[in-house]
């Protein structure tokens, strides 16, 4: 009985253990099934995330060009080459490494033996991310990928290729603010500045994707040479900027700022009929006294324009038939009082009794204020309606971000006072940006057609136009042609015999208006000290305007001068003069078709020599179409392109000889 009872106890224990094992096995099976079928996707994704990832390949950003085809901004690819020392087979490493090191010596100048020791050390330490070279161009990349061992590819040769994109501005700092940028600021917010920011949707293209495999801590390499999704290059933007006019405007402004030790200034040149911005420069003074492209003052800085606003008042008066340019006004010794406030002329003692036209030419505050106040004091809304109809109370709606808000006082405003109307008569108590002022003058020069200033004229994909930006009319007729003719004549006389007479030249005609405004004239600690803003705005030639221009210079050194004619006028004159003597589009070369025998002989000899030299067709498959066309064009090919993207096929085989002007056809995709 004792033995049987003991056996039963043992059997019971065995059953208990077996049951426990069964339960454990069942639980393990359930867990495995749960992992496999329920949580499997989560863990598989987690494993892939830790060992494999899909990396974004940034698309090449489109180029920004000037109207004459010069590059203003372009993306330059830079390549880094690394080596996975574990990837090659032992026999391949042994056979090809010396040849690879010899090729690297020829390319970079570093001794072959030094390279060989680096590769041996990487192999022995199983280094999967050894740096070979960085900062390579695409052409250099193609060359290095053809070297022994590396030409076997990523898996067999161990070559790792990394690409980065750098945005370059080939013409340097000129128009840098207008060309602009798109980047993230310190707060993580995206900044959209200038043309780059305004046309980012066209420029940025579509990013690609590439699978990367983790090979060590924080080290990843491409799984293959083939992208999961190839990036699509951005479109090119053709700006309205003319680099010749831009260079003239930039340096003319810079020279004047430096001489007058001014705080900042801007200049804009518009093509009269189209509104195309041919040049724009915004320069501010640094602490060391140098000047650089900073805030876009021309587009964004709203301020009281001063005497340049007198043109709007004159147009309103003439259009309503309130006066004629021959009406005579007494300047009252250069000092009049309206509601207890003084209005003074810059010329002490005034100008005596003069016509309205002469008062404008001499920029008499007393004359213009009397004309505006006397004719509109009983109905200021009539005067302000003209300003509103001119569009001066609204933004121009330019594409660049940050256009300043204009302010034209309205009679129904709470801030309207008894001096609001007379103060507008000589450009105070209101605000405009330099570009808004220029647009109005350009409208007068354009026989009353007010056009929106444009910074971009075309969107292109290679030589194919995707979108054109033709002139945009804001107001088809600012006023009657009779009024236009009268104010044009007066503005021409400003340069001939008025405040701008120092600028007059018998060689090229100009018309415009000087301006000298007091800024912060109210004083006070919050506003800062009063200073002068000097300006000149007008157009040229006076009889058939092709360009309009505004120059505004803030805070010139008063000991050297501060009047608009002295400070800003010379910049305007310099731009007009240089455009009609130096700019290729306006400078006509005489005897262009005249044959010079000696030159023809030299050219014929050179051409014959070039065509006898054996040249080799390069392998450009895989290169972006843009780079390929530039490379082949410089080599002397005539290039024909079909499609868009990268080169997939070339009509001439690599390595064969060719002659100058031989046609090569590229298939892109």
């Amino acid at each position: 009985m004792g033995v049987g009872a003991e056996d039963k106890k043992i059997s019971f224990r065995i059953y208990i253990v077996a049951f426990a094992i069964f339960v454990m096995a069942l639980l393990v099976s359930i867990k495995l099934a749960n992992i496999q079928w329920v949580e499997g996707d989560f863990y598989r994704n987690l494993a892939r995330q830790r060992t494999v990832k899909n990396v974004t390949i940034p698309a090449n950003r489109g180029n920004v060009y000037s109207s004459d085809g010069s590059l203003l901004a372009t993306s330059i690819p830079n390549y880094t080459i690394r080596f996975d020392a574990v990837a090659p087979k032992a026999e391949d490493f042994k056979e090809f490494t010396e040849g690879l090191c010899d090729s690297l010596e020829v390319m970079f100048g570093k001794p072959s033996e030094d390279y060989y020791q680096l590769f041996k050390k990487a192999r022995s330490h199983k280094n999967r991310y050894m740096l070979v070279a960085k900062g390579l161009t695409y052409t250099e990349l193609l060359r290095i990928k053809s070297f022994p061992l590396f030409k076997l590819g990523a898996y067999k040769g161990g070559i790792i290729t990394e690409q980065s994109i750098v945005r370059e501005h080939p013409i340097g700092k000129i128009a840098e603010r207008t060309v602009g940028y798109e980047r993230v600021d310190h707060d993580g917010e995206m900044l959209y500045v200038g043309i780059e920011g305004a046309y980012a949707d066209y420029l940025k293209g579509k990013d690609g994707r590439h699978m990367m495999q983790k090979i060590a801590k924080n080290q990843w390499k491409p799984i293959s040479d083939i992208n999961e999704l190839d990036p699509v290059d951005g479109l090119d933007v053709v700006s309205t900027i003319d680099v010749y006019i831009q260079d003239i405007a930039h340096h003319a402004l810079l020279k004047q700022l430096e001489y007058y030790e001014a705080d900042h200034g801007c200049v804009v040149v518009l093509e009269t009929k189209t509104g195309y911005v041919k040049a724009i420069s915004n320069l501010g003074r640094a602490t060391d006294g140098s000047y650089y492209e900073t805030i876009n003052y021309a587009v964004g800085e709203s301020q009281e324009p001063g005497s340049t606003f007198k043109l709007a008042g004159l147009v309103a008066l003439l259009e309503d038939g309130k006066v004629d340019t021959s009406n005579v006004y007494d300047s009252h010794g250069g000092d009049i009082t309206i509601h207890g406030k003084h209005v003074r002329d810059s010329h002490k003692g005034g100008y005596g009794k003069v016509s309205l036209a002469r008062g404008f030419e001499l920029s008499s505050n007393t004359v213009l204020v009397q004309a505006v106040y006397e004719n509109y004091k009983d109905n200021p809304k009539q005067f302000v309606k003209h300003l509103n109809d001119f569009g001066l109370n609204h933004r121009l709606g330019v594409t660049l971000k940050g256009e300043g808000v204009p302010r034209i006082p309205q009679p129904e405003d709470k801030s309207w006072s008894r001096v609001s109307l007379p103060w507008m008569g000589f450009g105070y108590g209101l605000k405009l940006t330099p570009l808004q002022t220029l647009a109005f003058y350009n409208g007068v020069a354009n026989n009353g057609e007010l056009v929106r200033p444009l910074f971009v004229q075309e969107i292109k994909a290679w030589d194919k136009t995707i979108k054109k930006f033709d002139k945009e009319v804001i107001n088809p007729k600012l006023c009657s042609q009779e009024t236009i003719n009268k104010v044009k004549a007066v503005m021409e006389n400003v340069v001939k015999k008025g405040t701008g007479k120092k600028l007059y030249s018998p060689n090229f005609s100009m018309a415009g208006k000087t301006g000298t405004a007091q800024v912060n004239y109210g004083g006070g600690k919050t506003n800062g000290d009063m200073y002068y803003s000097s300006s000149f705005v007008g157009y040229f030639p006076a009889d058939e305007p092709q360009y309009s221009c505004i120059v505004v210079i803030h805070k010139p050194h008063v000991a050297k001068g501060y009047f608009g004619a002295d400070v800003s006028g010379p910049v305007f004159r310099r731009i007009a003069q240089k455009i009609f003597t130096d700019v290729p589009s306006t400078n006509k070369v005489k005897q262009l078709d005249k044959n010079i025998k000696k030159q023809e002989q030299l050219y014929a000899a050179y051409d014959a020599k070039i065509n006898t030299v054996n040249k080799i067709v390069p392998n450009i498959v895989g290169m972006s179409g843009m780079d390929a066309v530039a490379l082949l064009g410089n080599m002397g090919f005539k290039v024909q392109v079909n499609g868009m993207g990268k080169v997939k096929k070339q009509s001439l085989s690599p390595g064969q000889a060719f002659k100058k002007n031989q046609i090569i056809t590229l298939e892109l995709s």
Side-chain angles (χ1 to χ4, degrees), residues 359-396:
F360 185 93
E361 293 162 12
L362 296 171
S363 199
S364 171
N365 295 332
T366 58
V367 169
L368 269 296
V369 167
Q370 285 181 81
V372 169
Y373 184 65
E374 289 176 4
N375 288 286
Y376 292 105
K377 63 183 178 180
D378 295 327
N379 187 13
K381 286 186 177 181
Q382 184 180 9
F383 179 75
V384 174
K385 184 179 184 302
H386 277 294
L387 305 183
N388 294 340
D389 290 343
F390 297 156
L392 296 174
N393 63 328
H394 295 294
R395 287 188 175 105
L396 292 166

Side-chain angles (χ1 to χ4, degrees), residues 81-83 88 92-93 95-97 99-101 103-104 119 140-161 225 619:
I81 300 296
R82 295 183 181 274
F83 177 59
D92 289 338
F93 184 84
E95 180 179 355
F96 297 117
T97 301
L100 170 61
C101 295
S103 299
L104 290 171
F119 279 95
E140 291 171 330
L141 171 67
L142 293 180
R143 181 180 173 186
I144 205 169
K145 289 177 74 172
S146 68
F147 288 172
L149 189 61
F150 282 173
K151 67 182 179 181
L152 299 179
Y155 282 118
K156 295 182 178 180
I159 184 172
I160 300 172
T161 303
D225 289 335
N619 182 5

Side-chain angles (χ1 to χ4, degrees), residues 278-392:
K278 307 309 292 182
I280 178 171
S281 185
N282 298 278
L283 296 174
R285 191 179 191 189
T287 53
D288 62 358
S290 63
Y291 291 89
Y292 63 102
E293 278 275 340
T294 175
I295 298 169
N296 197 330
Y297 301 111
V299 173
E301 186 174 43
S302 295
Q303 68 158 52
E304 292 172 308
S307 293
T308 56
F309 192 75
K310 290 172 181 174
L311 177 64
L314 181 60
V315 171
L317 286 163
L318 294 174
E319 194 66 5
D320 281 337
K322 301 279 188 180
V323 297
D324 192 42
T325 54
S326 60
N327 283 42
V328 175
Y329 288 87
D330 190 341
S331 63
H332 297 286
D335 188 345
I336 62 174
T337 303
I338 298 179
H339 298 299
K341 300 291 184 179
H342 288 274
V343 176
R344 297 184 177 93
D345 287 327
S346 59
H347 178 68
K348 191 173 182 179
Y351 303 99
K353 293 181 179 181
V354 293
S355 68
L356 179 60
R358 187 58 180 160
F360 185 93
E361 293 162 12
L362 296 171
S363 199
S364 171
N365 295 332
T366 58
V367 169
L368 269 296
V369 167
Q370 285 181 81
V372 169
Y373 184 65
E374 289 176 4
N375 288 286
Y376 292 105
K377 63 183 178 180
D378 295 327
N379 187 13
K381 286 186 177 181
Q382 184 180 9
F383 179 75
V384 174
K385 184 179 184 302
H386 277 294
L387 305 183
N388 294 340
D389 290 343
F390 297 156
L392 296 174

Side-chain angles (χ1 to χ4, degrees), residues 229-486:
L229 178 66
D230 286 331
V232 177
D233 292 346
L235 299 173
D236 294 332
V237 171
V238 181
S239 75
T240 59
I241 300 294
D242 184 303
V243 292
Y244 294 98
I245 300 176
Q246 179 67 41
D247 185 64
I248 293 166
H250 174 88
H251 287 97
L253 176 65
L254 177 61
K255 179 181 178 182
Q256 209 72 345
L257 288 171
E258 289 176 336
Y259 175 77
Y260 282 96
E261 302 174 37
D263 181 74
H264 67 273
C266 66
V267 57
V268 185
V269 180
L270 289 184
E271 191 172 70
T272 304
K273 294 188 180 303
T274 62
Y276 285 168
V277 178
K278 307 309 292 182
I280 178 171
S281 185
N282 298 278
L283 296 174
R285 191 179 191 189
T287 53
D288 62 358
S290 63
Y291 291 89
Y292 63 102
E293 278 275 340
T294 175
I295 298 169
N296 197 330
Y297 301 111
V299 173
E301 186 174 43
S302 295
Q303 68 158 52
E304 292 172 308
S307 293
T308 56
F309 192 75
K310 290 172 181 174
L311 177 64
L314 181 60
V315 171
L317 286 163
L318 294 174
E319 194 66 5
D320 281 337
K322 301 279 188 180
V323 297
D324 192 42
T325 54
S326 60
N327 283 42
V328 175
Y329 288 87
D330 190 341
S331 63
H332 297 286
D335 188 345
I336 62 174
T337 303
I338 298 179
H339 298 299
K341 300 291 184 179
H342 288 274
V343 176
R344 297 184 177 93
D345 287 327
S346 59
H347 178 68
K348 191 173 182 179
Y351 303 99
K353 293 181 179 181
V354 293
S355 68
L356 179 60
R358 187 58 180 160
F360 185 93
E361 293 162 12
L362 296 171
S363 199
S364 171
N365 295 332
T366 58
V367 169
L368 269 296
V369 167
Q370 285 181 81
V372 169
Y373 184 65
E374 289 176 4
N375 288 286
Y376 292 105
K377 63 183 178 180
D378 295 327
N379 187 13
K381 286 186 177 181
Q382 184 180 9
F383 179 75
V384 174
K385 184 179 184 302
H386 277 294
L387 305 183
N388 294 340
D389 290 343
F390 297 156
L392 296 174
N393 63 328
H394 295 294
R395 287 188 175 105
L396 292 166
V398 296
T399 53
L400 301 195
K401 306 291 184 181
E403 182 184 358
V405 180
R407 178 181 177 272
I408 300 296
Q410 306 292 313
E412 60 272 18
D413 293 344
K414 290 183 179 180
S415 58
W416 181 271
S417 71
R418 294 186 298 174
V419 296
S420 293
L421 177 64
W423 252 236
M424 282 194 287
F426 67 127
Y428 286 91
L430 54 93
K431 288 186 177 181
L432 291 175
T433 68
L435 188 60
Q436 290 159 0
T437 298
L438 175 59
F440 178 69
Y441 273 76
N442 188 76
V444 172
N446 201 25
N447 288 321
E449 186 178 68
L450 179 67
V451 295
R452 180 174 289 112
L454 299 177
F455 292 87
V456 167
Q457 63 186 45
E458 199 172 3
I459 306 294
K460 299 188 74 173
W462 291 91
D463 56 350
K464 181 181 178 182
T465 298
I466 305 300
K467 185 175 183 178
K468 282 189 70 68
F469 298 91
D470 296 319
K471 76 172 181 180
E472 300 177 13
V473 179
I474 299 174
N475 187 335
K477 199 66 176 176
L478 289 170
C479 58
S480 67
Q481 190 61 46
E482 181 183 3
T483 296
I484 291 289
N485 293 340
K486 288 180 179 179

